[in-house]
Amino acid sequence: MTELATAYGGVLSAWVSVGGLLLVQAIVADVAGIRAKHTPGMPVTTGHGDFLFRAVRAQANSLENLPAFIVLSLASMLLGASPQWAGGLAWTFVIARAAHMAAYYADVRTARSIAFALGFLSLIGMLVIALRAIT
């Protein structure tokens, strides 16, 4: 396991960073909910004009993308894909998710879409390097 961790340190550090990003999103959404006196467990339906709505959607979107990120980055590692490519794509995903979060909070829709697309393309890249490692 030590050799794997050494070779794929970039991917593993990206995992830690994604975990930190998810914690930040949870805290922001919780604080926004408390400030808005939102009833826990009830859906937030106010729309994009409301910061609480955007905070909850940013968090949900990150959680929706997390399984693909974990599966594809782990598969890349276990299949022996290029550590440089795997690490670069993993960090591209992290940076894109952070940019997506910031753009969602600020309600800058074009930037949010670009950041989402960049993160999605990094997932496709991870799929490609994992598939190439199989053959």
Side-chain angles (χ1 to χ4, degrees), residues 55-74:
V56 168
R57 282 303 311 140
Q59 180 186 25
N61 191 272
S62 290
L63 292 171
E64 291 161 3
N65 282 273
L66 185 63
F69 173 68
I70 292 171
V71 167
L72 292 170
S73 59
L74 182 60

Side-chain angles (χ1 to χ4, degrees), residues 111-131:
R112 184 183 86 211
S113 295
I114 291 168
F116 177 84
L118 185 58
F120 193 77
L121 288 172
S122 69
L123 293 175
I124 292 171
M126 281 188 247
L127 174 64
V128 169
I129 66 168
L131 288 172

Side-chain angles (χ1 to χ4, degrees), residues 45-110:
T45 60
T46 51
H48 282 91
D50 178 32
F51 180 79
L52 174 59
F53 178 87
R54 294 192 311 271
V56 168
R57 282 303 311 140
Q59 180 186 25
N61 191 272
S62 290
L63 292 171
E64 291 161 3
N65 282 273
L66 185 63
F69 173 68
I70 292 171
V71 167
L72 292 170
S73 59
L74 182 60
S76 295
M77 291 169 44
L78 295 176
L79 292 168
S82 164
Q84 292 78 19
W85 274 101
L89 289 165
W91 272 103
T92 300
F93 178 82
V94 171
I95 293 165
R97 293 310 310 167
H100 178 269
M101 175 187 77
Y104 221 144
Y105 290 168
D107 199 17
V108 182
R109 295 175 188 192
T110 301

Side-chain angles (χ1 to χ4, degrees), residues 6-55:
T6 301
Y8 292 98
V11 175
L12 297 175
S13 62
W15 285 3
V16 173
S17 297
V18 164
L21 190 63
L22 291 171
L23 285 174
V24 167
Q25 289 179 333
I27 291 167
V28 169
D30 287 348
V31 169
I34 291 167
R35 292 184 73 178
K37 297 182 179 11
H38 181 74
T39 303
M42 298 303 294
V44 180
T45 60
T46 51
H48 282 91
D50 178 32
F51 180 79
L52 174 59
F53 178 87
R54 294 192 311 271

